[in-house]
Amino acid sequence: MSYSALAVTAVVVVLVVDLAVYRTRMVTRKSYWTAYAIIIVFQLLMNGVLTGLGVVTYDPATIWGPRIAYAPVEDLLFGWAMVTLTLASWAAVNRRANTARRRGLDTDTRPSSTR
């Protein structure tokens, strides 16, 4: 499977996880897109450094061709998928912990003697 196909697959999988599995709807929030706008600046900076200096190289046969800051555009898709999956997972775990707390369940996994 090409790098391009993997990048598109990652985006689709993360959208399904966010919207249907976790149901966090992270991608529908303005605060998410604001945070992602900040993140993408640093992603482009690091992609530019790593690919511009030749630390990371790509087989031209496995990418679409267009580049942003020396890196293939597919890197933006992978970066988006990683950031979104991390934030959606974090939101889902926090939601479950908050639900457990509201039900009176102890979510602290530390031994009671260390609390």
Side-chain angles (χ1 to χ4, degrees):
M1 184 177 279
S2 73
Y3 188 66
S4 302
L6 286 171
V8 170
T9 301
V11 168
V12 171
V13 167
V14 169
L15 283 171
V16 169
V17 169
D18 177 45
L19 297 172
V21 177
Y22 290 163
R23 295 186 309 256
T24 57
R25 298 175 43 90
M26 186 68 57
V27 298
T28 65
R29 300 178 191 184
K30 183 180 177 185
S31 59
Y32 163 79
W33 290 105
T34 302
Y36 188 69
I38 296 165
I39 291 166
I40 198 168
V41 170
F42 293 100
Q43 180 186 353
L44 288 170
L45 178 66
M46 288 312 302
N47 278 357
V49 168
L50 293 173
T51 55
L53 295 175
V55 174
V56 177
T57 59
Y58 297 90
D59 178 357
T62 63
I63 61 173
W64 288 322
R67 292 176 177 256
I68 299 174
Y70 300 103
V73 294
E74 292 91 335
D75 272 5
L76 294 177
L77 298 177
F78 268 123
W80 180 88
M82 288 187 293
V83 167
T84 304
L85 183 60
T86 300
L87 293 175
S89 297
W90 187 13
V93 167
N94 282 332
R95 182 179 59 211
R96 287 185 187 112
N98 289 335
T99 299
R101 274 190 218 97
R102 281 193 301 274
R103 292 181 179 160
L105 302 174
D106 187 5
T107 59
D108 192 344
T109 59
R110 295 176 295 167
S112 59
S113 62
T114 62
R115 293 184 202 171

